[in-house]
Amino acid sequence: MRVNTSHPSAFITLITSCQPRVFSSSGFTNIDLSKPIEEETLPDYLAERYYPVHIGEIYNSRYQVVTKLGFGSSSTVWLCRDLYHKCYITLKVHVRSRRPIPEVEISNYLRTIQDVHGGEKCVRLVHDSFQVQGPHGVHQCLLYQPAGVDISDFMHYLPEGALPEYLLRPAMRIVLVALDYLHQAKVVHTDIQPNNILLGVDDVSILAEMEEDEIPNPVPRKQLQDRIIYTSCSMPLTNGEPVLSDLGEARFSKEKQCGLIMPSVYRAPEVMLGMSWDYKVDIWAAWTLFEQGHLFKNKSLESTSDHAHRFAEMVSLLGPPPLENLVPIPDQSLEGRESQLEGGEKGIFLQFIRKVLRWLPEERPTALELLSDEWLRGSEY
């Protein structure tokens, strides 16, 4: 599968040579083999799921790996030199899978939209894609415009651990422009979180510096029998405008949908409650994008109790929800459900039932109190 793209040099810094570089095979720190590092520290890590990328390796006859940028449960990420266009580009190597990557399909679709919106510049689309055959299966490789640190990491550098207003306001505008672009295209991101908002790279020379530094100062690594686990290189802070990234969980959505989406800590109430949802789930996560800490203290939603606590937190902050947010309300009444009695007898019976059917246990009468109820006493008195 391929993504048709124009010449990338308009947005990616040029490199000085189209010739492959020779990277150091010595002079680095060897990490203890018994110590888990990088992707090995993930709870579900299985070595055979990951492609064994090597710094200096060339993919698709043109993309040479320069250094490692990061890792996750579904991929590792690398800075590469595009030897054909003489530029830098980011390579994401997915864990093995024969399934098409939805992000490629969505990027293809968005590129076909002819209307100029402006938000297309605020969304990081897949630039190109190809497959590699690994020791244990096929791996999808996606290429992107290089970007800087995510908003979450950026906030850690700030004194208050949150964006000040003068940064928050323009950043929020850019994210909303990006979301408006996606929503008008009938695409729902479904995974809006700080890790998916990246700073742009305005000073392109930092990428060349990262490459040059890898030659005399190769990153520490762990050399295993079948692979090398490299440590990630820290991306310097950049001043570029934010971009919305990672369409890996995005959906085409022309109407409301059902089903579980979003990481639990960012989950909108309609998703948590099993209701239908639409593009407005992307708006729900605005707080956690730019504020210090999570809005809700109860982060897990693994049990019924967790859902109850999260719902209680929502009510405490937002007030009581609309009834339709709890469950669909049937069109019925106690009067309609009672079919055995008529007239006044029915009325006093329903008074009795309404005493019994109270939400709060403390509002329900005792057995002794019910014994004196008018309907229960009947005509004997």
Side-chain angles (χ1 to χ4, degrees), residues 29 131 142 180 246 263 269-270 304 311 331 335 349 354 358:
T29 300
Q131 296 179 342
L142 309 185
D180 183 63
D246 199 346
E270 61 269 33
T304 302
F311 188 69
D331 184 15
E335 285 80 2
F349 169 74
R354 284 193 168 94
R358 296 296 184 102

Side-chain angles (χ1 to χ4, degrees), residues 13 26 42 62 73 79 101 220 222 265 285 311 323 346 368:
T13 182
S26 62
L42 299 174
R62 63 185 281 190
S73 60
L79 179 65
I101 303 295
K222 184 163 72 169
V265 73
F311 188 69
L323 290 178
K346 180 174 183 175
L368 182 62

Side-chain angles (χ1 to χ4, degrees), residues 132-271:
V132 292
Q133 178 66 49
H136 302 282
V138 174
H139 299 259
Q140 305 289 344
C141 298
L142 309 185
L143 294 154
Y144 304 86
Q145 174 183 355
V149 301
D150 61 55
I151 288 291
S152 180
D153 285 342
F154 177 64
M155 288 193 293
H156 291 157
Y157 288 98
L158 301 176
E160 301 299 325
L163 290 182
E165 186 179 14
Y166 76 92
L167 292 177
L168 168 60
R169 198 185 304 274
M172 183 70 81
R173 280 197 293 263
I174 290 171
V175 171
L176 291 176
V177 168
L179 287 178
D180 183 63
Y181 163 66
L182 293 178
H183 296 164
Q184 288 198 32
K186 307 301 182 185
V187 172
V188 187
H189 190 284
T190 81
D191 195 15
I192 302 297
Q193 55 173 296
N195 293 345
N196 289 335
I197 312 296
L198 308 180
L199 296 183
V201 175
D202 54 347
D203 181 4
V204 294
S205 67
I206 66 170
L207 303 177
E209 291 173 4
M210 292 171 69
E211 176 190 351
E212 293 304 322
D213 190 55
E214 180 60 33
I215 304 294
N217 302 301
V219 295
R221 62 201 67 180
K222 184 163 72 169
Q223 299 190 91
L224 301 170
Q225 186 174 9
D226 63 338
R227 67 188 60 236
I228 298 175
I229 306 294
Y230 297 91
T231 56
S232 298
C233 182
S234 298
M235 177 67 74
L237 286 180
T238 58
N239 295 320
E241 292 187 344
V243 290
L244 177 60
S245 72
D246 199 346
L247 294 169
E249 298 296 328
R251 313 284 181 87
F252 293 109
S253 180
K254 295 183 178 180
E255 54 190 26
K256 285 184 175 289
Q257 299 190 34
C258 293
L260 197 61
I261 57 169
M262 311 176 73
S264 63
V265 73
Y266 305 112
R267 194 165 291 159
E270 61 269 33
V271 178

Side-chain angles (χ1 to χ4, degrees), residues 11 16 162 366:
F11 57 78
T16 58
T366 65

Side-chain angles (χ1 to χ4, degrees), residues 265-267 269 283-289 291-299 310 313-314 316-318:
V265 73
Y266 305 112
R267 194 165 291 159
I283 306 300
W284 172 259
W287 171 282
T288 47
L289 280 182
E291 291 290 341
Q292 185 178 26
H294 295 293
L295 183 60
F296 302 108
K297 296 179 181 179
N298 183 55
K299 299 180 181 180
R310 172 69 64 80
E313 286 190 277
M314 289 180 175
S316 70
L317 292 171
L318 309 177

Side-chain angles (χ1 to χ4, degrees), residues 105-142:
E105 181 184 4
I106 289 174
S107 291
N108 274 328
Y109 162 71
L110 290 172
R111 291 183 189 280
T112 66
I113 298 176
Q114 299 299 317
D115 296 339
V116 178
H117 178 281
E120 60 271 13
K121 298 178 182 179
C122 306
V123 180
R124 193 189 194 207
L125 301 181
V126 175
H127 166 69
D128 199 356
S129 65
F130 58 92
Q131 296 179 342
V132 292
Q133 178 66 49
H136 302 282
V138 174
H139 299 259
Q140 305 289 344
C141 298
L142 309 185

Side-chain angles (χ1 to χ4, degrees), residues 269 273 311 314-315 318-326:
L273 295 171
F311 188 69
M314 289 180 175
V315 172
L318 309 177
L323 290 178
E324 58 268 24
N325 273 38
L326 299 176

